[in-house]
Amino acid sequence: MGQEKLMSRKKPSFPVSRKLETFLDQYNRKTEIPILYEDLLRFAGSIVVYDDDGNDTLWVRVYYTDAERNEIDLNLKKVYSILHSDGTDRIFQYLNVDAVDYCTFGNSKPFRIRIRNILNDNFIYFYVKRADASRIYGLELEHMLSPYNLNYLVYKDTLIEEHISGIPGDIFINKMLPNCTDTQKSQLAKEFVKFNERCMIQLLGDMRSYNYVIIPIHDFDHVVFRIRAIDFDQQCYEGKLKVYRPQFFKENQKMVALVQSKLLSDSVEQYKVEERSIIAKRIISANKRIKRLINAAKADKISSPENVERLKMEIFAFTKDIEFKKCRNMGQILNLTLDFVRRNYENVSMRQIIEKKIQVK
């Protein structure tokens, strides 16, 4: 199915509500920073950024007047210190702002900042974006429910995100996947099944191959791969359940084919159960924090009534849980989805306990 039919053409940006802002403040995500997204829009000009093969990356490198540049560089170093260090200026003398890039592609139109340590030439990226409520919900859910922690800050209408390292999925699939061993392909298939399940449970949409990265990890004498989302713009917005399942995007067809060729149906089901179980455990362990985030989402508007109506009915058809029909917004759908996963895990665990007691008797 083509992406034009699967997804809406453009998702609007949603403001940060007072309840969400309170949550961010409570968990140290809300921090005053010296530069806002709008300040970076005052660039004087730009040049196209090409990759090593001469292809347009859809990023442009922007530059500022001399009067603007000194202040912007200083403030970006301050943001780096707040995000990655103790917030003081003692490291500024070792930092250089190598580049400020701007992406006109997609909804968020982010700025990508490259900071280099002049003592050893190590560099790191971070992103400056417009604060979008649905994106923030996605970041926070990924932080709590996935295997990965996320570092981000929100101040007024500006969102600062750390860079997530890895090989972009589309590049990996086209250039590196053909050279993987059979064992590596089987392991990648397993990871894609788990990633697919995790996105669906979190209601994280639009995981086309360029919206996630593949991370090779050396483990003893072999390499294993992990798949990690890098774009959270489509959290709890679309009305079609397929949007939250990466397997249905044409950009992921080679990964789906990998699953079909390398895994038996029983193995696929096993990996789905494993992922649901570990997410259920995270829901239970982060209970208070998740409840506070969900309470903010239930009082928020992060989608259209039409999308809410369609998604709740599609999830009802998928789960047969009548409670989904009663949902009035995306926050309520998300709450029920996570609760459905938790309840199923607890019910299975309880049955196992009862069966063991019966066997003992």
Side-chain angles (χ1 to χ4, degrees):
M1 181 178 289
Q3 67 189 60
E4 290 80 15
K5 294 181 180 179
L6 192 56
M7 292 183 60
S8 305
R9 289 204 175 270
K10 186 171 177 61
K11 171 192 158 294
S13 180
F14 296 96
V16 177
S17 67
R18 184 169 296 180
K19 278 195 172 184
L20 179 56
E21 188 175 3
T22 299
F23 171 89
L24 295 170
D25 194 26
Q26 190 168 18
Y27 289 97
N28 297 317
R29 299 295 200 183
K30 179 185 173 186
T31 305
E32 186 173 352
I33 55 176
I35 192 169
L36 301 177
Y37 178 88
E38 297 296 328
D39 297 327
L40 293 178
L41 289 173
R42 301 199 304 264
F43 52 86
S46 65
I47 57 173
V48 176
V49 177
Y50 297 96
D51 64 18
D52 293 338
D53 297 324
N55 300 312
D56 187 346
T57 62
L58 302 178
W59 291 85
V60 295
R61 186 147 298 165
V62 301
Y63 56 87
Y64 301 85
T65 64
D66 290 342
E68 293 270 14
R69 183 75 201 207
N70 291 334
E71 181 184 0
I72 285 174
D73 278 12
L74 177 61
N75 287 333
L76 289 175
K77 290 177 184 179
K78 289 179 180 177
V79 171
Y80 170 88
S81 181
I82 294 169
L83 186 66
H84 289 292
S85 187
D86 59 2
T88 64
D89 60 1
R90 60 185 174 182
I91 62 172
F92 289 3
Q93 60 184 316
Y94 309 122
L95 302 179
N96 186 69
V97 180
D98 273 4
V100 178
D101 298 333
Y102 178 59
C103 183
T104 58
F105 175 74
N107 290 327
S108 60
K109 295 184 178 179
F111 285 93
R112 180 178 62 195
I113 316 300
R114 174 170 159 151
I115 302 285
R116 178 172 55 90
N117 186 309
I118 61 176
L119 297 179
N120 51 38
D121 278 344
N122 285 329
F123 62 87
I124 195 169
Y125 294 100
F126 67 85
Y127 298 86
V128 182
K129 305 175 180 179
R130 283 195 176 95
D132 173 30
S134 57
R135 186 180 196 91
I136 293 169
Y137 285 118
L139 286 165
E140 194 61 37
L141 286 166
E142 181 77 0
H143 177 76
M144 289 188 283
L145 300 181
S146 83
Y148 313 105
N149 292 328
L150 286 174
N151 188 15
Y152 70 93
L153 302 171
V154 180
Y155 181 60
K156 294 184 177 179
D157 63 348
T158 298
L159 169 65
I160 308 294
E161 282 183 41
E162 70 174 353
H163 175 68
I164 298 173
S165 300
I167 304 167
D170 54 339
I171 294 175
F172 184 94
I173 290 169
N174 292 326
K175 294 186 175 182
M176 302 179 72
L177 180 59
N179 299 320
C180 288
T181 65
D182 285 341
T183 300
Q184 289 172 337
K185 288 178 179 178
S186 295
Q187 197 265 328
L188 271 165
K190 167 188 172 181
E191 287 302 312
F192 187 77
V193 169
K194 291 194 166 196
F195 179 66
N196 190 77
E197 194 72 8
R198 188 162 66 245
C199 291
M200 182 178 67
I201 292 171
Q202 294 177 203
L203 294 184
L204 175 60
D206 193 19
M207 282 299 109
R208 285 173 280 186
S209 55
Y210 49 78
N211 286 332
Y212 59 82
V213 293
I214 296 177
I215 307 168
I217 300 171
H218 288 267
D219 185 22
F220 292 106
D221 60 347
H222 65 288
V223 176
V224 297
F225 298 95
R226 298 289 181 262
I227 302 178
R228 184 174 180 183
I230 59 171
D231 192 324
F232 304 92
D233 187 62
Q234 291 285 344
Q235 175 68 47
C236 292
Y237 175 71
E238 293 284 350
K240 300 171 187 175
L241 183 57
K242 286 184 176 180
V243 173
Y244 304 102
R245 305 175 73 184
Q247 69 186 81
F248 288 106
F249 287 100
K250 64 180 181 181
E251 292 84 354
N252 295 326
Q253 283 179 355
K254 289 182 180 179
M255 296 297 285
V256 174
L258 203 64
V259 172
Q260 293 171 338
S261 65
K262 294 296 180 182
L263 301 180
L264 298 174
S265 57
D266 286 348
S267 295
V268 171
E269 186 58 33
Q270 172 197 338
Y271 296 140
K272 287 181 178 181
V273 171
E274 287 180 7
E275 193 62 24
R276 288 196 294 269
S277 298
I278 198 166
I279 289 175
K281 292 174 184 177
R282 292 187 183 117
I283 293 171
I284 293 168
S285 64
N287 183 46
K288 185 178 291 186
R289 184 167 179 159
I290 286 182
K291 278 186 176 179
R292 287 171 175 165
L293 182 72
I294 294 297
N295 285 338
K298 288 195 292 187
D300 215 339
K301 179 183 178 181
I302 50 175
S303 188
S304 67
E306 296 79 16
N307 285 349
V308 170
E309 186 64 26
R310 176 163 185 169
L311 184 61
K312 74 179 186 182
M313 296 307 296
E314 290 198 7
I315 296 181
F316 163 70
F318 187 74
T319 63
K320 309 304 179 187
D321 187 337
I322 195 70
E323 292 300 312
F324 281 101
K325 286 188 172 183
K326 304 175 185 177
C327 292
R328 298 186 303 277
N329 59 43
M330 282 293 182
Q332 292 176 349
I333 294 175
L334 177 63
N335 179 50
L336 273 180
T337 301
L338 298 183
D339 191 57
F340 181 85
V341 171
R342 179 191 58 78
R343 282 187 286 111
N344 276 303
Y345 169 77
E346 290 178 336
N347 289 341
V348 170
S349 299
M350 183 59 67
R351 283 200 303 271
Q352 290 174 341
I353 292 172
I354 292 171
E355 287 171 1
K356 285 181 180 179
K357 287 183 178 179
I358 293 172
Q359 289 172 1
V360 169
K361 290 180 180 179

